[in-house]
Amino acid sequence: MELIYAKPKEFCTLNLDETKIRQVIMNFSDNAIHYTPKGGKITVELKQTEESVEFTVTDTGIGVPKADQHHMFTKFYRGSNARKARPDGTGLGIFMAKKVIIAQGGAIIFRSEEGKGSTFGFSFPRKKLEVAAT
């Protein structure tokens, strides 16, 4: 498996709950590792624009079936193919991730195609959360 981290040359400082954001990042990354087969690729990307900052984890894993996608952030829900690939999951990780991101003023990023992979991530507006340089 190939893991790529695309980091910006410079990045602003944001006023966020570091512990909770770290948990979200670990959840998205852990899921990508578990649901991407050998020979697959995972790209972790952090980028910023004038308006926002965005973090994404994109994999070439099993993806989420179209019929399951509207349930993905429901408490205890797991995609049908995810239950087969990893029976021990709880269905709480991405549910809690969404709650953490929304509570801090962000938005969830989710795209997926079954058999081709998924992107999970979040974005935050810079204006509300950026810490002024001193």
Side-chain angles (χ1 to χ4, degrees):
M1 179 181 317
E2 181 180 12
L3 178 63
I4 298 164
Y5 174 49
K7 97 177 189 180
K9 289 180 182 165
E10 294 181 21
F11 196 76
C12 61
T13 300
L14 300 174
N15 186 19
L16 295 169
D17 183 325
E18 182 181 345
T19 301
K20 288 182 179 176
I21 294 298
R22 186 184 309 264
Q23 289 173 330
V24 172
I25 290 169
M26 291 303 296
N27 176 263
F28 290 163
S29 302
D30 183 58
N31 283 347
I33 291 166
H34 281 288
Y35 297 118
T36 301
K38 283 186 179 182
K41 182 168 117 177
I42 299 168
T43 303
V44 177
E45 187 171 15
L46 181 62
K47 59 185 173 183
Q48 68 182 21
T49 65
E50 291 292 319
E51 296 82 34
S52 67
V53 296
E54 185 177 289
F55 172 85
T56 55
V57 177
T58 301
D59 64 55
T60 58
I62 63 173
V64 179
K66 197 84 162 153
D68 293 345
Q69 289 184 13
H70 69 285
H71 295 294
M72 282 309 296
F73 295 92
T74 303
K75 191 174 189 179
F76 301 121
Y77 187 81
R78 297 185 66 225
S80 54
N81 59 346
R83 288 191 305 266
K84 291 176 190 163
R86 187 177 177 201
D88 63 327
T90 63
L92 286 173
I94 61 173
F95 166 77
M96 292 304 296
K98 183 177 181 180
K99 289 184 85 62
V100 165
I101 299 305
I102 300 299
Q104 294 186 66
I108 285 288
I109 298 166
F110 169 62
R111 297 180 295 275
S112 189
E113 188 174 342
E114 186 175 12
K116 297 205 174 176
S118 300
T119 297
F120 284 89
F122 54 81
S123 64
F124 286 100
R126 283 181 69 172
K127 284 182 187 175
K128 290 183 180 179
L129 299 170
E130 189 169 2
V131 175
T134 54

